[in-house]
Amino acid sequence: MVRARVSVRAVEDRLVAVLGARQGSGVLLRPELVLTSAHLFEKGDTVEIVAPDGDGRVPCDVAWSGDPETCDVALLVARRPVLSFRHASPLRWGKCAGWQPMPRCQVLGFPRVQRYAGEELEAVQIPGTLMPLAGRMRGRYVLHADHHPPAPVPDGSPWAGLSGGPVFAGPLLIGIASGDPTGWQHASIESVPLSAVMDDPGFRKVLLERWPGAPAFEEISSAYPEDLSYEPAYAKAVKAAYSRLEIFGLDELSSGDWDLDTAYLSLEAQSSSGRTGSGPRRIEDLLGSRPRTVLRGEAGAGKTTLVWWLASHTVCRTLPEQLSELDGMIPFVVPMRSLAARGITSPTPSQLPKIARLPVDKPPDGWAGRVLEAGRGLLLVDGMDEIPQADRELARKWLAGLLRMYPRTRCLVTVRPLAVGSDWLEQEGFEELRLLPLGDEDIRSFVGAWHMAARLECDRYADEHWAKRQRKRLDSLEQELGREFQRNDVLRDLARTPLLCAVICALHRARNGFLPETRWELYSAALNLMLATRDIHRRIHQPEGIELTVDEGRQLLQRIAVWLARNGRAELTREQAIRQLTSALRGLRRVRAQGTPRTVLMHLLNRSGLLQERSPDAIQFIHRTFQDYLAAKEFQESDCLDELLLHAAEEQWQDVLRLAVGHCGRSEEKRLIAGLTAAADAAPDRETEWPLRALAAYCALNARYVEDEQYTQVWAGLRKLLPARDERELHALGQDVLAAVY
């Protein structure tokens, strides 16, 4: 069978010529489905179609034909694909909202007046203004051509052959050309509204049998051709911004980035809704059938990676089959940490394309609203837990209001497990999914992908002999680490999130197989790797004129981290960072002698691998986990554990508290656990008491030294509340406490 080779990309590529008893025009709906005019042929006629970029005439069968007087449209089925639709943008259908004239529409076809060299067909593109009211009584659209009409011909209309041609308003197909009304001297062209054709039960039945995914109609009042030219630029900017992922431990022991096609690991998730078949499944299988989803996941579980992967593959139309409904949609990524840092609480549709600060020009006025109104928007709200707890209700109201205004918008919200209640967006039709820890097979897959990406880094080496040695070493390390995971249950349990799995891979490579045994040792070794080993391995000495010891770098970063924690923020500006460094440098005379706070900040951004400036004047840690770890260390070193305890009931502080216990000495551990127990004893209700008891139990389990009396008191307090009443309470316990309790 001859296969279509040329691919449809623009709407104009869908134009075909129809050859029957009369010559006409048509539009490809799918590779084998054509819409044209019914009056072009009689029953029993042989019908063929040909595309300008096709490979010759293709025989067709008439699947449905309307009455030429009332519904002059026919549906043809080609006997083989006419063109490839591999890279085709989804076809969109429109209907006029109101009676106002719509300029900048167009009709395409192969009219008699355009023929050359005798009878050779040539395409025409007729721009004009659609006048919806002008054909109202006869159920027609009328387009008044912008240019001078063609000269009359003695035996018919110069537009003969245009019948069946598509009428487009921007990228939307709105009608099928049907005639040349008398009295207008060929300056007007009539068409059958596509919405009127779909109202015919017979046509609708035949069409949906062959095309179950036929698009819904979008109501339009203007053609907006500038949208059509802007959207490829927006898609290119989204791909540039989100197609590469920063993964710890690559690029010569720094925080490098790698292509998402290489990096993406399909994660397992589970529905909380009790749906049939709600057991663990791959996230792509679950998201496809859920237009609105709240996705909960631990720190480092891969929530942001999923958001980026969805954004970049949606605009490229390369999503897997389970998510094919999202292909070609317009993603709006809303990083909540950026909103909080910029003081934006309720972004309008016009602000959505700007929030992520993509490298693209300003969109046409009203573009985002039109995208949402048409149901083409994919709203990806990342990190609802990264705004202050007091602002989350305002954020919920903003999101709910936006989705009520644009009800066809698909939406994914990511959040940590305990940041918001289980019914937070239930009234807006959201379903909850929970990312599951990496299984043993997922860990093996991640280790393989990490080492494959590390081997790709070797391609950058100028010395091929050295590159070959490094690839061989990475092969050996990958096998070694795989055996270590099989042997060591503790290490395997530490690697249950992509972030910590990447940290383990990086440390295993950097330390020739020697690995830490606890979460805190892992983080400490990772920080040492970033702050000291990186430039040594790169043979970089005193970059920017600054040389920091590991301890000096850590202390500087701690000041930034603790400021973010105290202010409930995940980002800060350069000036805010400089003020924190100025304070820290008062006690770091050796560093202060090397440069100004501004120079030191530049060094940390360029060399630490832990800070990044993803957009102008918005500084953040590469991952929230490192921010929390360093903030916890600063609270412990500055004797501010009581300040931590004051915030123990606040979800946003609880990860910092969990990490603080690993920094504490013996007396500090006792003080921290006693403070959490006292706070739980004084809690006014179970909802407040439960997470405090769970925190106290976590700290008691992970403390290096805890006396029997205190240990018994902690577990007695938790056991009086058992069993957990719902999934939220189970989440609060965490894996360590769950294992001890159950």
Side-chain angles (χ1 to χ4, degrees):
M1 186 176 76
V2 179
R3 296 190 179 275
R5 297 185 297 274
V6 178
S7 179
V8 169
R9 291 182 181 270
V11 291
E12 289 81 5
D13 292 331
R14 295 175 179 270
L15 175 65
V16 296
V18 177
L19 308 174
R22 300 182 184 87
Q23 177 260 310
S25 306
V27 58
L28 279 171
L29 304 180
R30 303 193 73 193
E32 300 162 353
L33 211 56
V34 178
L35 211 54
T36 185
S37 280
H39 74 256
L40 296 176
F41 38 78
E42 302 290 342
K43 187 174 181 180
D45 282 353
T46 300
V47 185
E48 296 177 314
I49 58 172
V50 60
D53 292 319
D55 53 7
R57 297 187 175 196
V58 181
C60 292
D61 298 307
V62 180
W64 183 89
S65 183
D67 182 346
E69 295 299 321
T70 58
C71 189
D72 188 15
V73 173
L75 185 66
L76 310 179
V77 180
R79 295 179 186 174
R80 62 177 172 84
V82 180
L83 294 174
S84 167
F85 273 51
R86 182 179 177 186
H87 301 290
S89 299
L91 184 63
R92 296 163 57 195
W93 289 2
K95 62 180 178 179
C96 295
W99 308 110
Q100 62 270 37
M102 289 203 320
R104 297 183 293 184
C105 295
Q106 61 173 337
V107 183
L108 311 178
F110 296 92
R112 173 181 179 180
V113 72
Q114 191 75 348
R115 292 176 187 172
Y116 70 98
E119 291 299 309
E120 296 294 325
L121 297 183
E122 179 59 278
V124 72
Q125 189 170 20
I126 308 166
T129 298
L130 195 77
M131 314 296 263
L133 188 63
R136 180 180 182 182
M137 306 306 291
R138 291 171 293 112
R140 295 288 190 267
Y141 286 156
V142 176
L143 182 130
H144 288 182
D146 289 344
H147 57 65
H148 194 276
V153 293
D155 56 347
S157 169
W159 291 131
L162 187 65
S163 293
V167 181
F168 285 105
L172 275 67
L173 179 64
I174 61 171
I176 297 297
S178 61
D180 176 0
T182 58
W184 286 93
Q185 298 181 332
H186 314 303
S188 293
I189 297 165
E190 284 187 350
S191 61
V192 180
L194 202 58
S195 56
V197 185
M198 281 297 285
D199 286 340
D200 186 293
F203 174 82
R204 189 178 185 84
K205 180 176 182 295
V206 172
L207 177 74
L208 294 179
E209 284 173 356
R210 290 163 174 79
W211 191 15
F217 280 96
E218 301 174 31
E219 291 193 348
I220 55 170
S221 56
S222 173
Y224 299 110
E226 61 271 23
D227 290 3
L228 190 61
S229 59
Y230 176 76
E231 287 178 10
Y234 182 82
K236 186 176 180 182
V238 168
K239 181 173 174 56
Y242 298 117
S243 63
R244 294 192 68 81
L245 177 70
E246 293 177 347
I247 290 291
F248 185 88
L250 293 181
D251 187 21
E252 285 291 333
L253 308 180
S254 77
S255 176
D257 60 14
W258 52 352
D259 191 279
L260 260 178
D261 290 336
T262 304
Y264 182 68
L265 177 70
S266 176
L267 300 169
E268 273 197 325
Q270 187 164 8
S271 171
S272 305
S273 67
R275 267 197 195 189
T276 303
S278 59
R281 294 170 63 191
R282 291 297 163 186
I283 187 68
E284 299 87 355
D285 296 329
L286 293 167
L287 285 178
S289 60
R290 289 166 172 81
R292 296 182 181 180
T293 307
V294 173
L295 180 67
R296 296 180 187 264
E298 303 289 347
K303 302 184 295 295
T304 297
T305 301
L306 175 65
V307 164
W308 287 25
W309 181 82
L310 281 171
S312 62
H313 281 275
T314 296
V315 294
C316 296
R317 295 186 290 278
T318 51
L319 287 166
E321 185 177 352
Q322 310 95 298
L323 295 171
S324 59
E325 285 186 21
L326 304 183
D327 267 340
M329 296 189 81
I330 304 295
F332 297 113
V333 178
V334 183
M336 295 305 290
R337 64 168 61 185
S338 297
L339 292 191
R342 293 157 64 186
I344 302 173
T345 55
S346 304
T348 62
S350 65
Q351 289 177 301
L352 291 177
K354 307 169 191 174
I355 287 168
R357 293 170 169 165
L358 298 174
V360 66
D361 290 338
K362 179 182 175 183
D365 288 344
W367 170 70
R370 290 190 289 275
V371 168
L372 296 174
E373 182 67 43
R376 300 172 56 228
L378 174 62
L379 195 60
L380 300 168
V381 182
D382 188 30
M384 192 60 79
D385 54 281
E386 299 196 40
I387 58 174
Q389 200 162 17
D391 294 340
R392 290 176 196 167
E393 179 57 21
L394 188 62
R396 187 197 68 78
K397 288 179 179 177
W398 158 72
L399 185 57
L402 187 73
L403 294 176
R404 287 170 193 160
M405 181 75 176
Y406 303 106
R408 290 196 285 160
T409 300
R410 295 192 68 134
C411 184
L412 171 69
V413 177
T414 72
V415 68
R416 291 198 189 185
L418 304 176
V420 295
S422 58
D423 59 350
W424 194 63
L425 283 168
E426 193 174 50
Q427 287 188 342
E428 309 311 320
F430 277 78
E431 290 192 54
E432 293 231 350
L433 296 178
R434 174 170 54 91
L435 283 177
L436 300 178
L438 296 182
D440 293 351
E441 186 58 41
D442 289 334
I443 291 173
R444 284 191 287 272
S445 297
F446 187 95
V447 169
W450 191 96
H451 285 84
M452 178 176 67
R455 283 188 287 271
L456 290 175
E457 292 289 325
C458 296
D459 295 341
R460 301 179 183 179
Y461 300 157
D463 186 336
E464 180 53 39
H465 178 69
W466 173 252
K468 187 175 180 180
R469 283 180 57 191
Q470 290 305 304
R471 290 189 196 99
K472 187 175 180 181
R473 176 172 174 260
L474 285 163
D475 290 342
S476 176
L477 285 170
E478 181 180 349
Q479 294 172 10
E480 243 178 70
L481 185 55
R483 289 192 292 269
E484 186 65 19
F485 274 126
Q486 285 182 327
R487 182 190 67 80
N488 189 333
D489 292 345
V490 174
L491 184 69
R492 198 164 61 245
D493 287 341
L494 281 173
R496 296 300 182 190
T497 67
L499 173 67
L500 287 181
C501 198
V503 168
I504 289 169
C505 290
L507 291 174
H508 185 261
R509 176 187 181 186
R511 297 165 64 156
N512 292 313
F514 176 75
L515 287 168
E517 295 183 357
T518 70
R519 187 178 301 268
W520 290 270
E521 289 173 352
L522 257 184
Y523 292 144
S524 179
L527 288 168
N528 288 344
L529 179 71
M530 303 295 276
L531 294 172
T533 315
R534 179 188 185 209
D535 282 343
I536 292 171
H537 277 262
R538 289 179 153 192
R539 296 174 174 82
I540 297 173
H541 180 64
Q542 287 190 322
E544 292 93 26
I546 303 289
E547 185 179 34
L548 301 179
T549 66
V550 171
D551 189 61
E552 287 166 342
R554 180 179 53 77
Q555 289 203 47
L556 291 166
L557 291 167
Q558 281 175 202
R559 297 300 185 94
I560 293 174
V562 81
W563 184 91
L564 290 168
R566 282 176 169 143
N567 287 277
R569 301 273 287 276
E571 284 185 354
L572 76 172
T573 66
R574 278 178 173 263
E575 290 307 315
Q576 288 166 335
I578 287 167
R579 284 196 289 273
Q580 300 314 306
L581 294 178
T582 301
S583 175
L585 288 172
R586 290 172 190 155
L588 296 170
R589 288 184 294 279
R590 195 186 77 86
V591 181
R592 195 170 66 227
Q594 297 179 56
T596 66
R598 194 173 296 276
T599 306
V600 172
L601 175 62
M602 186 62 66
H603 172 87
L604 291 172
L605 283 167
N606 289 341
R607 299 296 170 187
S608 75
L610 288 159
L611 283 185
Q612 61 182 354
E613 193 171 27
R614 281 201 52 80
S615 57
D617 207 29
I619 294 168
Q620 59 187 242
F621 281 88
I622 60 165
H623 199 281
R624 176 73 175 270
T625 300
F626 291 114
Q627 175 187 315
D628 290 343
Y629 176 87
L630 287 162
K633 181 66 173 170
E634 180 62 23
F635 280 117
Q636 180 265 330
E637 285 189 351
S638 59
D639 195 22
C640 290
L641 292 180
D642 288 342
E643 182 184 352
L644 267 181
L645 288 168
L646 283 173
H647 296 282
E650 299 173 34
E651 178 274 331
Q652 210 164 10
W653 288 75
Q654 288 169 3
D655 279 340
V656 181
L657 271 158
R658 288 187 186 93
L659 290 166
V661 70
H663 296 304
C664 289
R666 187 170 63 188
S667 63
E668 291 169 325
E669 288 172 335
K670 183 176 181 179
R671 181 173 145 209
L672 194 66
I673 295 168
L676 289 169
T677 303
D681 290 341
D685 51 43
R686 180 187 176 97
E687 187 177 352
T688 308
E689 183 181 359
W690 181 274
L692 293 169
R693 297 287 184 202
L695 269 174
Y698 178 90
C699 291
L701 274 176
N702 288 282
R704 286 183 286 267
Y705 181 91
V706 58
E707 294 176 354
D708 288 345
E709 182 181 352
Q710 189 175 45
Y711 190 84
T712 302
Q713 182 187 14
V714 166
W715 287 98
L718 180 60
R719 285 195 178 98
K720 75 177 184 181
L721 297 179
L722 291 174
R725 291 180 178 175
D726 53 34
E727 195 167 327
R728 182 174 173 79
E729 290 192 346
L730 284 172
H731 274 309
L733 291 176
Q735 294 298 318
D736 291 357
V737 180
L738 268 173
V741 170
Y742 295 103

